Amino acid sequence: MEVNPNQLSEKISDAKKGSQSAFNYLVDRFWGDVYGFQLKKTQNEYEAEDITIQTFSKAFNRIETFDDNYSFATWLIAISKNIHIDQIRKKKASIRSKTSMQDEDQVYQIADDTPGIEDKLIKEQNLEQLLFDIKQLKPHYQEVINLRFFQEKSYREIAEFLDEPMNNIKVKLLRAKKLLAAIIESRKS
């Protein structure tokens, strides 16, 4: 899809001012570029989609740092590469820690590791608090969180269920997660 450079520059400028429609335009326009790049790198649709969502999230959080002298697509790809590299590092660190933990577990075997009554109560309280936090979101954000994380529906299924474009669902879910994180953080302070 060919883009008029002036129109793109205008949309980026609007996005820097917080325009939702500009964000949607940029997601629609560049989603395929970032997703396609990551799909080639990861060879995994779920991982490519996850990194693409994180890329747009990070880009929109830092859109004011974008320099108009460079290509927006290149900027997004660079962000996407860094997220992918971070994920690889985390996986390697996780594998190392699991290996050392397995070695320790063999030395210090615990007779019974089933959750006790206290563990169950703590989990129930955490879930109850999470549900309470989710209810503070606007209803359309509650709905996408519920469909994605509690009913475990794919983006495509949510888009069909709500009769909305998939990119809108991705942006809504992104915003819902950010708002929920802010609610949780403010409660902790």
Side-chain angles (χ1 to χ4, degrees), residues 145-158:
I145 291 268
N146 178 33
L147 291 169
R148 179 71 176 154
F149 297 107
F150 292 99
Q151 295 183 30
E152 298 180 354
K153 293 194 181 292
S154 69
Y155 293 109
R156 184 167 286 115
E157 290 170 329
I158 296 170

Side-chain angles (χ1 to χ4, degrees), residues 122-132 150:
I122 289 168
K123 270 190 181 171
E124 286 173 10
Q125 283 179 339
N126 287 342
L127 180 59
E128 192 176 310
Q129 182 63 56
L130 179 62
L131 292 172
F132 177 77
F150 292 99

Side-chain angles (χ1 to χ4, degrees), residues 5 7 10 12 22 31 33 39 44 50 58 67 75 78 101 108 129 131 139 144 154 162 165 174 179 185 188:
Q7 181 187 20
E10 183 181 310
I12 292 169
W31 180 269
D33 297 338
L39 191 57
N44 179 312
D50 186 49
K58 195 171 230 176
D67 184 346
W75 185 64
M101 286 174 63
Y108 302 105
Q129 182 63 56
L131 292 172
V144 291
S154 69
L162 296 177
L174 194 71
L179 291 169
E185 276 303 308
K188 287 181 180 178

